[in-house]
Amino acid sequence: MKRYILSLITAAAMLCAQAQTEVLKINLGDTIVTYKVADIQEMTFDTVEEQADTTLFHSFNGYITVTTAYFTDTYYGSNAWLGVFKTSEDEYLVTFSDPTWGDAFFGHVQIGQALSAEGTIKMFDRHSGGYKNYDCTLSGPMTTPVITVPGVMGGTSITFHVDEPPVDPELYVTAGQHKGGVTVMVGGQFGPYTQTDITYGIEDNGDGTINVVIPGFQLSGTVMGDLTLGAYTVSNVAYDAERGAYYRDYSADGLTFHLTAVNNGATTMDNDYDFTRLGTIEVKATEAGGVSVVNTFQPGAMPFPVESVFEGNIE
């Protein structure tokens, strides 16, 4: 009987030993997490770098002007934003955002009399139809910082102005080469005659005036026959507040252009003609960021006035 009882005690002790399971308890402060040791395949201890706390140090709303290899100091609206952030480690970060020119980020910004940093800017690339990141630098004073992007349009400089635009934004048209189409009416009733794939040039003189470079082009089947109109440039076109557009009467500027007309195989006009009877030009910015150019002229003794309307966007 004693031997039987001893066997039961031994068996019970073995069952208790088999029932015990080693566990790993981790106290996280407000929670205790328990893992079975047998289920743990591997334990590693890594160092996680904590992000420094970041607070907005200063923010600015303003307008921007842009210079590239194709145009200079061109106004691009007053919807730009610049933010300066300070981390808990006393480092500065700068972010920039504009609806047209994209979003930029600069880390480890040196702040003194002038800003200095390297970063990236994310822009929409219309050729690929997607967004691309470009290396850029930040420089200049905080009130007019300059973002330089070497890899865009032959080198691009975006100047942020911490202020309201100095004049009515409608004054600004984008300088550069604008590609589009022109529609021509002769005598107010003949036409319209059209020419597509044509490029007008807008030059910024830096004094509030622009030059309009009108290209030569051809019009077929007009009331005067097949026309070839030569190129010419109307200079110093100033902003007219009443018209809400750049405007100039250039009939007294001494300009000429070459005009050729061929009607039923016969050349009826082939000479240089002036605009002393009529020559006006009106330029407006379009919502798409391009230009509209209305040019009304009457070459030499031609009996009919001509009105050409060009609409295009910068190339």
Side-chain angles (χ1 to χ4, degrees):
M1 184 67 177
K2 290 182 180 180
R3 185 176 180 179
Y4 175 72
I5 294 174
L6 180 60
S7 297
L8 287 177
I9 294 174
T10 302
M14 292 178 64
L15 288 174
C16 290
Q18 292 176 357
Q20 291 178 351
T21 302
E22 290 185 327
V23 297
L24 174 66
K25 291 185 178 180
I26 302 176
N27 190 339
L28 300 177
D30 55 351
T31 306
I32 296 178
V33 181
T34 303
Y35 300 94
K36 293 181 179 180
V37 173
D39 294 338
I40 299 175
Q41 300 296 316
E42 182 181 1
M43 294 180 63
T44 59
F45 297 89
D46 296 326
T47 301
V48 178
E49 183 177 349
E50 294 185 1
Q51 297 294 322
D53 292 335
T54 303
T55 58
L56 181 63
F57 181 69
H58 213 313
S59 65
F60 305 93
N61 293 310
Y63 69 96
I64 61 172
T65 54
V66 180
T67 295
T68 73
Y70 306 99
F71 53 86
T72 59
D73 292 328
T74 301
Y75 174 78
Y76 265 92
S78 55
N79 296 315
W81 183 85
L82 189 79
V84 181
F85 296 84
K86 186 176 182 180
T87 73
S88 57
E89 298 176 353
D90 290 331
E91 289 188 343
Y92 291 94
L93 314 173
V94 171
T95 62
F96 164 83
S97 180
D98 179 76
T100 301
W101 289 94
D103 302 304
F105 174 81
F106 302 91
H108 307 291
V109 180
Q110 301 297 317
I111 294 183
Q113 291 184 343
L115 301 175
S116 178
E118 296 181 352
T120 58
I121 186 167
K122 183 179 181 182
M123 293 182 177
F124 182 77
D125 179 45
R126 63 179 181 175
H127 297 292
S128 65
Y131 288 89
K132 294 179 65 175
N133 289 317
Y134 299 92
D135 293 333
C136 59
T137 60
L138 181 68
S139 61
M142 190 176 294
T143 53
T144 51
V146 179
I147 298 172
T148 303
V149 193
V152 173
M153 299 181 71
T156 296
S157 296
I158 305 169
T159 302
F160 181 92
H161 302 266
V162 183
D163 205 347
E164 294 292 327
V167 292
D168 188 339
E170 290 183 358
L171 184 153
Y172 293 95
V173 296
T174 304
Q177 300 298 304
H178 295 259
K179 187 174 182 179
V182 64
T183 301
V184 178
M185 292 290 296
V186 178
Q189 57 182 324
F190 302 106
Y193 311 109
T194 61
Q195 177 63 269
T196 59
D197 194 19
I198 190 171
T199 300
Y200 274 53
I202 302 294
E203 300 173 345
D204 186 352
N205 294 319
D207 60 358
T209 68
I210 61 173
N211 302 334
V212 183
V213 182
I214 302 171
F217 59 95
Q218 295 180 331
L219 295 173
S220 300
T222 77
V223 67
M224 298 169 57
D226 297 333
L227 304 182
T228 301
L229 296 85
Y232 63 101
T233 298
V234 181
S235 301
N236 303 315
V237 184
Y239 187 73
D240 187 317
E242 292 184 1
R243 296 176 182 270
Y246 285 89
Y247 178 82
R248 184 174 181 86
D249 182 338
Y250 60 89
S251 60
D253 290 358
L255 297 176
T256 63
F257 85 137
H258 196 87
L259 175 63
T260 301
V262 178
N263 199 349
N264 295 323
T267 300
T268 58
M269 302 177 71
D270 187 6
N271 212 333
D272 291 336
Y273 299 91
D274 60 32
F275 303 98
T276 55
R277 298 182 67 184
L278 175 63
T280 65
I281 196 165
E282 182 179 276
V283 183
K284 288 184 177 182
T286 65
E287 292 183 358
V291 294
S292 170
V293 181
V294 179
N295 185 24
T296 306
F297 56 95
Q298 195 165 353
M302 178 177 168
F304 301 113
V306 178
E307 181 183 81
S308 68
V309 180
F310 168 80
E311 289 192 356
N313 293 296
I314 196 163
E315 294 185 284

